[in-house]
């Protein structure tokens, strides 16, 4: 489906081009414009789990836990994979300053337990939120021994 992106002088942009435009706006610090553009995309494609993921991520980065939680839940219902949902919920718990909730996911969520790509996030929670610097350092050292992931883990 081809959509119009407001403010582009009437140019028709593909969803991929719209996503690139939103990323450029974000990188330029035009956060409000990026958020509005992404919300408009979601409005026209409400059943797109990937867009819900992007919107949840943006809300997490903006520090809006309520809006992020709503988008995480909608994305989960639309079929986001369980690992992605768990990672978003960990980030949500961190945003809410709920270290115990976030750490519990590393021990109980089947798609998260032992995932080497998430060791840095786990270490940040242990070190920064709980002051367990030795445990955090050990996780960071373990993470450095792992092969480099090809895509962002979180």
């Amino acid at each position: 489906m081809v959509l119009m992106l407001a403010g582009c002088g009437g140019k028709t942009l593909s969803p991929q081009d719209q996503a690139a435009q939103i990323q450029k706006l974000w990188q330029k610090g035009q956060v409000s414009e990026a958020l509005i553009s992404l919300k408009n995309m979601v409005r026209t494609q409400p059943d797109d789990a990937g867009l819900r993921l992007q919107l949840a991520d943006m809300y997490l980065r903006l520090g809006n836990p309520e809006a992020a939680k709503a988008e995480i839940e909608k994305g989960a219902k639309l079929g986001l994979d369980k690992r992605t949902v768990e990672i978003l919920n960990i980030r949500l718990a961190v945003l809410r300053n709920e270290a115990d909730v976030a750490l519990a996911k590393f021990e109980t969520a089947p798609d998260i337990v032992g995932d080497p790509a998430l060791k840095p996030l786990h270490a940040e929670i242990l070190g920064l939120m709980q002051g367990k610097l030795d445990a955090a350092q050990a996780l960071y050292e373990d993470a450095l021994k792992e092969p480099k992931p090809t895509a962002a883990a979180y």
Side-chain angles (χ1 to χ4, degrees):
M1 173 192 276
V2 178
L3 303 169
M4 300 292 285
L5 184 64
C8 288
K11 284 191 217 171
T12 301
L13 297 176
S14 70
Q16 295 81 9
D17 289 340
Q18 288 180 8
Q21 182 74 22
I22 290 167
Q23 185 65 29
K24 286 179 187 175
L25 289 169
W26 181 270
Q27 289 172 345
K28 288 185 200 174
Q30 296 174 320
V31 175
S32 294
E33 292 87 345
L35 180 60
I36 290 167
S37 295
L38 184 53
K39 286 170 68 174
N40 286 337
M41 283 185 72
V42 170
R43 205 170 291 120
T44 62
Q45 301 172 65
D47 295 332
D48 187 320
L51 289 176
R52 297 287 181 178
L53 166 64
Q54 291 174 33
L55 190 53
D57 177 66
M58 191 174 286
Y59 282 134
L60 287 168
R61 290 195 253 167
L62 292 171
N64 186 338
E66 292 78 21
K69 183 177 189 315
E71 293 304 325
I72 293 167
E73 290 172 354
K74 289 173 188 173
K77 287 178 185 172
L78 291 170
L80 280 179
D81 66 277
K82 290 179 184 178
R83 181 180 184 276
T84 299
V85 171
E86 292 295 351
I87 293 168
L88 289 169
N89 280 320
I90 289 170
R91 292 177 55 206
L92 178 62
V94 169
L95 182 60
R96 290 178 165 171
N97 203 25
E98 299 170 345
D100 292 338
V101 172
L103 291 172
K105 298 254 183 226
F106 286 105
E107 297 170 7
T108 60
D111 298 307
I112 300 295
V113 173
D115 187 334
L118 296 175
K119 286 181 181 179
L121 176 60
H122 192 174
E124 286 178 30
I125 296 166
L126 283 172
L128 297 176
M129 295 181 75
Q130 292 202 321
K132 297 179 180 177
L133 300 179
D134 290 338
Q137 182 176 352
L139 276 172
Y140 277 127
E141 289 172 359
D142 283 349
L144 290 173
K145 295 174 189 172
E146 298 289 337
K148 303 284 186 256
T150 56
Y154 60 95

